[in-house]
């Protein structure tokens, strides 16, 4: 049993992209990997691709029940990467308390790429496609994303897809038997 602190960097962008740069980015990323496809996650897709991974399957099904949108990158043989996004109706990502989250906007969270596919622009593809999905449901939506202050690779992909650093969130958690219990979070300034 212990208490730990985290510092998370928070970024923001709008879904508006001048001259359709978002659409062009998706085309370029898709051209680089024609054998990698994307789908919005459903119960059936989650059960199919994560049938041997009960932890992810359980978490992803709970995200669907909460109204979140999941995007899956996959090939014929396996899942390759994913990302999740809150919606305007359900804008509270699971890792922050509600008082930290802006009243409106989409929040991208819980993104991951299999190690053997990293460094190929697939994280940027997930972010770009999630931005496009948000733009289909809301005109010029505000989008947020966060990452750990030490995750330089994610920060680079976030900045490359048009997000700008807007601040930090410092949190304290009580850890008991591998369970993180949130104690307190507060906004800080970006440097």
């Amino acid at each position: 049993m212990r208490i730990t602190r985290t510092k998370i960097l928070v970024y923001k962008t709008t879904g508006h992209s001048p001259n359709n740069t978002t659409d062009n980015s998706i085309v370029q990323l898709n051209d680089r990997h024609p054998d990698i496809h994307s789908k919005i996650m459903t119960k059936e897709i989650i059960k199919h691709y994560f049938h041997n991974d009960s932890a992810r399957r359980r978490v992803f099904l709970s995200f669907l029940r909460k109204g979140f949108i999941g995007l899956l990158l996959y090939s014929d043989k396996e899942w390759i990467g994913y990302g999740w996004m809150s919606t305007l109706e359900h804008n509270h990502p699971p890792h922050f308390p509600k008082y930290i989250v802006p009243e409106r906007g989409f929040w991208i969270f819980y993104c991951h790429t299999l190690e053997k596919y990293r460094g190929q622009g697939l994280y940027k593809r997930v972010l770009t496609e999630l931005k496009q999905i948000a733009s289909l449901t809301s005109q010029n939506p505000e989008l947020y994303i966060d990452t750990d202050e030490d995750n330089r690779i994610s920060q680079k992909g976030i900045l490359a897809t048009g997000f700008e650093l807007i601040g930090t969130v410092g949190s304290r958690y009580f850890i008991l038997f591998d369970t993180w219990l949130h104690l307190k979070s507060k906004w800080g300034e970006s440097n």
Side-chain angles (χ1 to χ4, degrees), residues 33 35-42 45-46 49-50 53 56 60 69-85 108-127 129-130 133:
H33 300 285
D35 56 331
I36 298 176
H37 313 285
S38 63
K39 287 184 182 180
I40 297 205
M41 290 206 215
T42 63
I45 289 169
I46 292 168
Y49 283 96
F50 300 97
D53 188 340
R56 277 193 177 97
F60 291 175
I69 298 169
L71 181 79
L72 178 71
L73 295 184
Y74 67 98
S75 68
D76 292 337
K77 298 176 183 152
E78 63 186 341
W79 69 269
I80 292 167
Y82 54 79
W84 286 87
M85 180 172 65
I108 297 173
F109 64 93
Y110 213 77
C111 299
H112 184 73
T113 304
L114 284 177
E115 190 170 340
K116 66 183 176 180
Y117 292 99
R118 292 180 187 164
Q120 301 177 37
L122 296 170
Y123 177 55
K124 290 187 279 189
R125 178 174 170 181
V126 167
L127 299 183
E129 289 193 33
L130 286 171
I133 291 166

Side-chain angles (χ1 to χ4, degrees), residues 48-100:
H48 175 77
Y49 283 96
F50 300 97
H51 65 275
N52 288 330
D53 188 340
S54 63
R56 277 193 177 97
R57 187 176 63 246
R58 186 173 48 256
V59 168
F60 291 175
L61 291 172
S62 78
F63 287 169
L64 280 183
R65 284 191 300 273
K66 291 176 182 174
F68 299 142
I69 298 169
L71 181 79
L72 178 71
L73 295 184
Y74 67 98
S75 68
D76 292 337
K77 298 176 183 152
E78 63 186 341
W79 69 269
I80 292 167
Y82 54 79
W84 286 87
M85 180 172 65
S86 67
T87 64
L88 294 178
E89 296 80 26
H90 306 281
N91 77 328
H92 178 226
H95 59 291
F96 281 137
K98 192 163 182 76
Y99 65 85
I100 288 293

Side-chain angles (χ1 to χ4, degrees), residues 127-156:
L127 299 183
T128 302
E129 289 193 33
L130 286 171
K131 284 172 65 173
Q132 185 180 47
I133 291 166
S135 294
L136 293 173
T137 61
S138 178
Q139 186 173 351
N140 295 326
E142 292 181 349
L143 290 101
Y144 298 87
I145 189 169
D146 62 90
T147 189
D148 187 79
E149 70 175 334
D150 297 328
N151 193 339
R152 304 281 185 239
I153 303 284
S154 288
Q155 294 167 27
K156 190 174 174 183

